[in-house]
Amino acid sequence: FFKQKTAYEIRNCDWSSDVCSSDLLRAVWPHVNRRIMSVVEGSRGELTIESVLRRLASNQWQLWVVSEGPHVVGIVITEIGVTDSGMRICNVKSCVGEDATQWLHLLSDIEGWAKANGCVRISTWARKGWAKRLKHYNLTHVMLERDL
């Protein structure tokens, strides 16, 4: 699964294909489970590990594994949605890992994949600081939340 390289790389795990079979999922799980748990914890109760795995297994969400040599340093989770007008939009649901500034340029691989899959836009809800890192993205909204 992991190529022995020193440069960062990103790989899409399509659970519905032979590339990421259930055997491979079991092999990858020890390397990504901590990152997926971080996504669940960061959701503030909106996600469970089971719901994330169900969405990945059904290919509703896509898991991108970022590695440096044999080490997983991050994950990105995406979802392709279709608007009421029929536009396909790739939404980055989560991006977690170590030294993200070192591999953030790999998002261009996701952008290329999204375009090849008919998407006309890529979007994400992110903390304010990400706007500085994602210079080619437009800051169009701010999400405000209040627990009740």
Side-chain angles (χ1 to χ4, degrees):
F1 179 73
F2 302 107
K3 297 177 182 174
Q4 298 294 322
K5 293 170 69 175
T6 57
Y8 291 97
E9 63 181 358
I10 191 165
R11 180 173 179 184
N12 182 357
C13 287
D14 178 356
W15 305 121
S16 66
S17 74
D18 292 336
V19 175
C20 282
S21 65
S22 59
D23 289 341
L24 187 52
L25 175 56
R26 282 191 287 277
V28 172
W29 181 250
H31 304 283
V32 299
N33 68 347
R34 180 170 59 97
R35 309 277 183 213
I36 291 177
M37 283 305 301
S38 176
V39 170
V40 170
E41 290 165 6
S43 77
R44 300 179 60 216
E46 292 182 22
L47 298 172
T48 65
I49 192 71
E50 293 81 13
S51 68
V52 172
L53 291 175
R54 184 176 59 252
R55 287 181 174 119
L56 290 171
S58 69
N59 212 27
Q60 178 183 353
W61 287 1
Q62 300 78 42
L63 176 65
W64 300 80
V65 178
V66 181
S67 60
E68 182 181 24
H71 305 289
V72 172
V73 295
I75 63 168
V76 179
I77 297 175
T78 59
E79 175 184 38
I80 293 180
V82 180
T83 67
D84 290 343
S85 64
M87 285 190 345
R88 291 174 61 85
I89 297 175
C90 180
N91 185 355
V92 176
K93 304 295 284 181
S94 188
C95 178
V96 297
E98 302 161 10
D99 300 321
T101 56
Q102 299 298 311
W103 51 265
L104 214 50
H105 65 280
L106 296 174
L107 287 180
S108 64
D109 291 357
I110 296 174
E111 292 165 358
W113 170 86
K115 190 172 184 176
N117 280 277
C119 294
V120 297
R121 182 177 300 143
I122 189 164
S123 65
T124 187
W125 286 99
R127 292 188 308 270
K128 197 173 174 180
W130 280 98
K132 294 176 187 172
R133 293 185 178 128
L134 299 173
K135 294 178 180 166
H136 299 335
Y137 286 62
N138 297 317
L139 180 60
T140 61
H141 297 80
V142 174
M143 177 185 274
L144 303 171
E145 291 183 331
R146 179 176 179 190
D147 290 339
L148 302 176

